[in-house]
Amino acid sequence: MTDTKITQIYTQAQITERVAEMGKEISKAYTPDEPLLAICVIKGAVLFYADLVKAIRDRDVRFGFVAASSYYSASGDRMRSTGTVNMKYSSVDESEIKGAEVLIIEDIIDTGRTLKALKEYFYEKGAKVVRIATLLNKPDCRVVDVEPDYNAFTITGNPYIIGYGLDNAQQYRNLDGVYKIN
Ligand code: 5GP
């Protein structure tokens, strides 16, 4: 481990409280008797996903796992998202997506490129509805137009966040709270 200085910004108890509230909200939003396809964006969302799916009640929740990044194309001096997603891994068949009510569960929305592209991907594959739940939202960093339907915490500015699934060069994912690197 390196001796990087980190400061806790949310404790496990605060996360647990917000996750329980989000679970209740999500349980009400989806059609009763229809399965909910809960998509975990690995690796960062794994711990949040595990807690959130347990907080969703009275629904048949199906699991799906994806690893994705958005494509970037150079345009002048700026990198622009093409809106297409580079799906590095997906456990979900097209037949599972068609007609499904999808909830994409992500660790953090920064520029928004990844989630915008992922949302479009699931709609293109025939999902009936695609919603987004994120642990953290950094609205000041947004480059493309996408907003979470459910968000545990909003972070102002652009601190680098680690813990509770989020990494810095693959370190710190197992911390039980959310921290920022000083
Ligand atoms: P976006 O496409 O919204 O720019 O990127 C989202 C992804 O960037 C997240 O899933 C996450 O992997 C990474 N990311 C953005 N901000 C942070 C941060 O503050 N900390 C960490 N660990 N990853 C971040």
Side-chain angles (χ1 to χ4, degrees):
M1 295 283 284
T2 56
D3 56 358
T4 308
K5 184 131 176 42
I6 62 174
T7 305
Q8 190 167 45
I9 52 176
Y10 300 109
T11 62
Q12 177 67 67
Q14 288 172 306
I15 297 167
T16 303
E17 196 182 322
R18 279 296 294 132
V19 165
E21 290 166 359
M22 290 170 84
K24 279 191 195 138
E25 244 187 286
I26 292 165
S27 303
K28 281 188 251 158
Y30 284 83
T31 314
D33 306 325
E34 287 287 327
L36 188 169
L37 180 57
I39 301 292
C40 177
V41 186
I42 57 174
K43 302 172 187 172
V46 164
L47 300 186
F48 176 53
Y49 180 88
D51 286 344
L52 188 60
V53 291
K54 285 183 287 180
I56 299 170
R57 297 291 158 82
D58 306 321
R59 288 289 175 282
D60 172 10
V61 179
R62 311 275 167 95
F63 282 18
F65 297 85
V66 299
S69 58
S70 55
Y71 281 117
Y72 300 93
S73 63
S75 167
D77 57 352
R78 295 183 60 191
M79 295 297 278
R80 291 182 43 189
S81 170
T82 59
T84 44
V85 67
N86 175 19
M87 197 67 96
K88 291 184 278 190
Y89 169 76
S90 174
S91 74
V92 202
D93 291 339
E94 287 200 31
S95 62
E96 292 176 83
I97 302 169
K98 209 165 175 46
E101 300 195 2
V102 172
L103 179 66
I104 304 173
I105 301 179
E106 175 63 304
D107 54 358
I108 189 164
I109 312 184
D110 185 24
T111 65
R113 286 186 172 110
T114 307
L115 273 173
K116 188 169 198 286
L118 265 181
K119 198 170 175 177
E120 284 166 7
Y121 172 87
F122 282 102
Y123 273 124
E124 273 162 24
K125 298 288 178 203
K128 187 163 89 182
V129 61
V130 183
R131 297 192 179 101
I132 293 169
T134 186
L135 173 68
L136 302 162
N137 185 19
K138 281 182 178 176
D140 299 343
C141 302
R142 202 71 87 254
V143 171
V144 296
D145 186 22
V146 64
E147 288 307 323
D149 299 277
Y150 311 97
N151 167 43
F153 302 107
T154 299
I155 294 189
T156 49
N158 189 17
Y160 195 78
I161 307 297
I162 53 157
Y164 196 65
L166 290 96
D167 76 311
N168 182 31
Q170 301 304 327
Q171 277 185 28
Y172 305 111
R173 288 194 195 276
N174 61 320
L175 296 181
D176 71 351
V178 170
Y179 296 73
K180 67 174 179 182
I181 292 185
N182 299 313

